[in-house]
Amino acid sequence: MPLLKSWVASANTSDHPFPLNNLPYGVFSTEGAEPRCGVAIGDMILDMAAAEEAGLIALVEVPLFDVPYWNDLMEEGPAVWAALRERLTNLLAEGSAEQDKVETLLVPMDAAELHLPLVVSEYTDFYAGRHHATNVGTMFRGAENALPPNWLHIPIGYNGRASSIVVDGTPVRRPWGQLKSPQHDMPAFMPCRRFDLELEMGAIVGVASEGPITVQEADDNIFGYVLLNDWSARDIQAWEYQPLGPFQAKATATTISPWIVTKAALEPFRCETPAREFELLDHLRDCGPMLYDIDLEVTLAPDGKTASTITRTNLKEMYYSAAQQLAHHSTSGCPMNVGDLLGSGTISGAERSERGSLLELSWGGKEPVTLDTGEVRTFLEDGDTLTLEGHAQGDGYRIGFGQCAGEVLPALEDPYAR
Ligand code: MN
């Protein structure tokens, strides 16, 4: 599929993240007005509440977009999702008969503040990148025990906290926690000294389910994808993670990008999962090309200024797809809800320059990373701004995700001061 031309001129360049082919869903506010649903097209946002009010979009009997979340649209199901995408494509395409009416409903993106695009129902994070799991396992348990025996058979995950999800641009404060270094006999309560990022993507569940669902059903139930940074306190994690997995190390914040890129927009970029060492059991088996070819990049900017690229990788490095994770999540009978967010797990490639965390990039702090400014990093320092970006590259167009950024604020002097 080529670039689809829009009458919104800025949407028609080959490297713009938001062409007509994309149409990602976000929540925005402008001065003096409440947050509401919007769709990105070029440098503009289509005010969906206003479009609905004007009668330009009428998919169902009830209003869907005069709210600060896309959950109501998700609740309507895949047929309505498809109808909306078709309607938006027609309204915004070059030659649209309704251009005059729609033009008045566009808001310049730089005049808008972006918010979380959905109410996150629950949040689960996985560990489905083989290079990442091998690297971390080697550092934490030694090369011979790097991949746990279950890893090649099920997507490993843990239940996170929806309350910790924040949107792009939200500063993240370095946490305090209990940690123990191998040189000391006893643990101590102190600010995290190994604060890290995890480059991930998040899948958003758009259809609720009860009881086990197949991989195909799981794929059908996914609404869209966002970039996701699972901020991680490595020293807290190393002390707490056995036997029940990470807990406070992952609970400070998880940042997501503000635009939900729909599964429909990513359809042309589907690709196969990597070769499997063991065939997966039937209920987890691939049901077609399960992953997406999405280029990902992370930059680190000390003091928020000069940004150095610290990693470049691709979502196709994953061993398990979001659909396989969702299918696995449901096997116990666990009810899955509209608005559930599933983190992919850290996305690392085979090369050092493709690692999706500083833990791996600096190999546990032993091999510092040199930034373009000449500064070095093992883990994050106060004032660092981290930015995740990603896009799928089409023939003359891109499906972009926008940014997923956050600045690291210093730890509180005394977290229990009242
Ligand atoms: Mn993670």
Side-chain angles (χ1 to χ4, degrees), residues 7 46 56 91-92 98-106:
W7 51 261
L46 172 60
L56 286 165
L91 286 174
L92 294 164
E98 285 147 310
Q99 178 178 341
D100 290 354
K101 288 182 219 159
V102 180
E103 245 169 353
T104 62
L105 309 176
L106 295 180

Side-chain angles (χ1 to χ4, degrees), residues 125-126 158 198 200 230 250:
D125 194 37
F126 287 89
Y158 64 92
E198 289 194 337
E200 305 193 24
D230 178 24
K250 306 284 195 169

Side-chain angles (χ1 to χ4, degrees), residues 47-387:
D47 184 332
M48 289 294 289
E52 192 170 56
E53 177 77 27
L56 286 165
I57 292 168
L59 304 169
V60 292
E61 302 288 308
V62 291
L64 296 175
F65 304 116
D66 192 18
V67 286
Y69 45 79
W70 282 80
N71 301 58
D72 286 358
L73 185 269
M74 292 187 231
E75 293 276 3
E76 295 295 332
V80 175
W81 308 347
L84 174 62
R85 185 168 172 81
E86 190 184 344
R87 180 66 179 146
L88 287 170
T89 303
N90 289 335
L91 286 174
L92 294 164
E94 209 169 60
S96 165
E98 285 147 310
Q99 178 178 341
D100 290 354
K101 288 182 219 159
V102 180
E103 245 169 353
T104 62
L105 309 176
L106 295 180
V107 175
M109 203 171 285
D110 55 20
E113 185 184 346
L114 299 175
H115 305 270
L116 275 177
L118 75 159
V119 175
V120 177
S121 177
E122 299 197 54
Y123 167 51
T124 305
D125 194 37
F126 287 89
Y127 187 58
R130 186 167 183 173
H131 299 295
H132 172 71
T134 303
N135 289 339
V136 173
T138 301
M139 280 181 267
F140 277 35
R141 290 180 298 276
E144 59 288 355
N145 298 311
L147 277 190
N150 52 7
W151 201 94
L152 293 165
H153 302 278
I154 49 170
I156 310 284
Y158 64 92
N159 286 308
R161 295 278 303 174
S163 62
S164 68
I165 308 294
V166 297
V167 75
D168 166 61
T170 308
V172 174
R173 191 170 291 285
R174 180 183 300 276
W176 283 66
Q178 188 181 115
L179 47 99
K180 180 185 172 301
S181 62
Q183 298 82 32
H184 294 92
D185 292 340
M186 296 296 285
F189 184 70
M190 60 172 69
C192 169
R193 292 188 292 198
R194 296 187 149 212
F195 200 44
D196 198 2
L197 75 143
E198 289 194 337
L199 166 60
E200 305 193 24
M201 294 199 64
I204 293 163
V205 176
V207 178
S209 59
E210 296 218 11
I213 57 174
T214 65
V215 174
Q216 182 63 61
E217 287 167 336
D219 199 73
D220 294 344
N221 287 359
I222 292 171
F223 180 69
Y225 293 86
V226 290
L227 302 174
L228 185 150
N229 180 0
D230 178 24
W231 301 89
S232 299
R234 299 300 181 192
D235 38 11
I236 298 170
Q237 183 180 356
W239 173 232
E240 75 176 2
Y241 86 104
Q242 285 179 317
L244 289 184
F247 186 49
Q248 292 305 288
K250 306 284 195 169
T252 300
T254 297
T255 307
I256 63 170
S257 51
W259 296 105
I260 302 172
V261 174
T262 61
K263 187 177 56 182
L266 293 171
E267 220 40 58
F269 305 98
R270 279 189 183 266
C271 61
E272 304 285 340
T273 42
R276 303 206 180 276
E277 208 157 311
F278 300 99
E279 229 177 289
L280 296 174
L281 295 182
D282 282 345
H283 67 289
L284 292 176
R285 201 162 289 182
D286 295 39
C287 63
M290 305 249 61
L291 292 175
Y292 299 95
D293 183 353
I294 298 171
D295 290 319
L296 300 162
E297 182 177 318
V298 180
T299 61
L300 192 161
D303 306 327
K305 292 175 192 129
T306 315
S308 303
T309 298
I310 57 169
T311 191
R312 280 196 181 91
T313 185
N314 192 293
L315 182 67
K316 65 186 177 191
E317 298 288 351
M318 301 313 283
Y319 197 78
Y320 296 100
S321 64
Q324 285 163 317
Q325 293 168 335
L326 176 54
H328 174 63
H329 212 317
S330 77
T331 49
S332 56
C334 179
M336 300 304 293
N337 295 315
V338 171
D340 280 351
L341 177 66
L342 309 183
S344 60
T346 307
I347 305 161
S348 292
E351 304 300 321
R352 180 179 168 166
S353 63
E354 299 170 346
R355 295 173 185 165
S357 66
L358 278 168
L359 176 69
E360 297 165 85
L361 286 164
S362 73
W363 204 254
K366 294 194 189 87
E367 300 168 17
V369 175
T370 304
L371 307 177
D372 297 347
T373 56
E375 290 170 81
V376 292
R377 285 291 180 279
T378 48
F379 293 93
L380 295 168
E381 294 189 8
D382 297 343
D384 285 352
T385 294
L386 262 178
T387 304

